[in-house]
Amino acid sequence: LPAGMAAFGAVRAWARPELRETDIPIPGLPRDLHGLRIAQLTDIHYGPFFSMRDLEWAVAMANEAKPAITVVTGDLITRRSDNLEECVWILRSLKADAGIYGCHGNHEVYAKAQDAATALGQAAGIRFLRSDSETLRFGDARLAITGVDYQPQSSRYLRSVRPQPGAVNVLLSHNPDVFARAAALGFDLTLAGHTHGGQINVEILHEHLNVARFFTPWVYGLYRQAGKSIYVSGGLGTVGAPVRLGAPPEVTVVRLCAG
């Protein structure tokens, strides 16, 4: 049985990702932002188990959703020997009316690739936000996108960023454990990854069991707290074992709506 489950999980990990669309309620959302679509790619882990063809397919799926904004929320690669240049070269094909933005994950830190990824992204039309923000205007409404580098669990989260007054604020953070702090600061929506949706996720007695639950209460999907929201994407690639069980790879599209 374990061997069969592992084989099924390996096949699922190498399958084409699903397009998962989710409505995000934002209290007081300006009319000009209602229906705005944000595509998200995360946890690509480009390398032996997530190839050029896989990433090209994911980029095409994101583009077909016709988002206003596309974001890439970290872990482009797994280790220093992975082909970061090729990964970003493929991501240059992403299309979004108001731009492509990103933040870095823990594997950019491990691979000492944050500066290189930022420079390559700039050349490819992707702005990696490192404790920085970009304010976009849609009609009479303003939407501020803020990004941070990976936030270690031992650190005080989000010390270097604050929401922009008078705007709807979206935070890009690779790891979702910042959500309580982000909500308290006033970020309306946090987009994260990192957990791979649990990667190996088993349901027993209506409880989902996976390793990620030991590190964060926000493992996969939409969560809300005090009128603020986080969406944790299951992401695309794998780390450790090239297996996904109960956590299929996904390209995420969130749609802002009045809450």
Side-chain angles (χ1 to χ4, degrees), residues 178-243:
V178 305
F179 176 47
R181 175 67 174 158
L185 288 172
F187 286 98
D188 299 288
L189 170 62
T190 300
L191 296 175
H194 189 51
T195 64
H196 302 188
Q199 188 165 316
I200 299 176
N201 189 39
V202 180
E203 184 177 354
I204 299 176
L205 298 176
H206 306 292
E207 288 290 330
H208 291 273
L209 304 180
N210 54 67
V211 173
R213 288 188 63 179
F214 292 98
F215 300 97
T216 178
W218 305 293
V219 173
Y220 175 68
L222 177 63
Y223 302 86
R224 290 177 57 76
Q225 177 176 308
K228 310 302 182 185
S229 301
I230 184 171
Y231 187 86
V232 186
S233 172
L236 292 166
T238 58
V239 71
V243 171

Side-chain angles (χ1 to χ4, degrees), residues 12-224:
R12 194 67 189 91
W14 298 329
R16 287 175 173 171
E18 300 175 355
L19 182 67
R20 187 169 295 273
E21 300 192 47
T22 302
D23 286 350
I24 307 289
I26 306 288
L29 184 75
R31 182 174 59 184
D32 288 331
L33 293 178
H34 181 75
L36 184 135
R37 295 160 69 82
I38 304 174
Q40 180 187 10
L41 303 182
T42 193
D43 297 276
I44 296 167
H45 292 284
Y46 189 76
F49 303 112
F50 198 83
S51 68
M52 176 184 290
R53 185 175 180 183
D54 296 324
L55 185 52
E56 288 174 340
W57 183 263
V59 167
M61 289 182 71
N63 290 343
E64 286 172 10
K66 300 189 183 308
I69 300 163
T70 294
V71 299
V72 181
T73 52
D75 282 5
L76 302 176
I77 57 173
T78 302
R79 58 191 65 83
R80 189 179 293 191
S81 59
D82 293 333
N83 196 333
L84 176 64
E85 292 84 355
E86 189 169 85
C87 177
V88 178
W89 182 80
I90 298 167
L91 292 175
R92 88 200 189 288
S93 298
L94 287 169
K95 295 179 175 63
D97 294 339
I100 320 295
Y101 300 91
C103 66
H104 292 315
N106 54 306
H107 282 272
E108 276 80 67
V109 177
Y110 302 156
K112 295 183 168 59
Q114 292 168 289
D115 292 341
T118 301
L120 289 165
Q122 184 176 5
I126 304 168
R127 184 180 175 195
F128 283 96
L129 298 167
R130 307 183 65 184
S131 296
D132 199 1
S133 64
E134 179 83 14
T135 301
L136 307 172
R137 185 170 289 279
F138 296 88
D140 292 329
R142 294 167 62 237
L143 183 139
I145 302 177
T146 301
V148 291
D149 287 350
Y150 173 70
Q151 304 281 286
Q153 284 191 313
S154 59
S155 69
R156 288 181 55 201
Y157 294 139
L158 308 180
R159 289 183 293 176
S160 58
V161 294
R162 292 295 181 271
Q164 300 297 313
V168 173
N169 283 274
V170 176
L171 175 69
L172 309 182
S173 170
H174 178 68
N175 48 317
D177 9 322
V178 305
F179 176 47
R181 175 67 174 158
L185 288 172
F187 286 98
D188 299 288
L189 170 62
T190 300
L191 296 175
H194 189 51
T195 64
H196 302 188
Q199 188 165 316
I200 299 176
N201 189 39
V202 180
E203 184 177 354
I204 299 176
L205 298 176
H206 306 292
E207 288 290 330
H208 291 273
L209 304 180
N210 54 67
V211 173
R213 288 188 63 179
F214 292 98
F215 300 97
T216 178
W218 305 293
V219 173
Y220 175 68
L222 177 63
Y223 302 86
R224 290 177 57 76

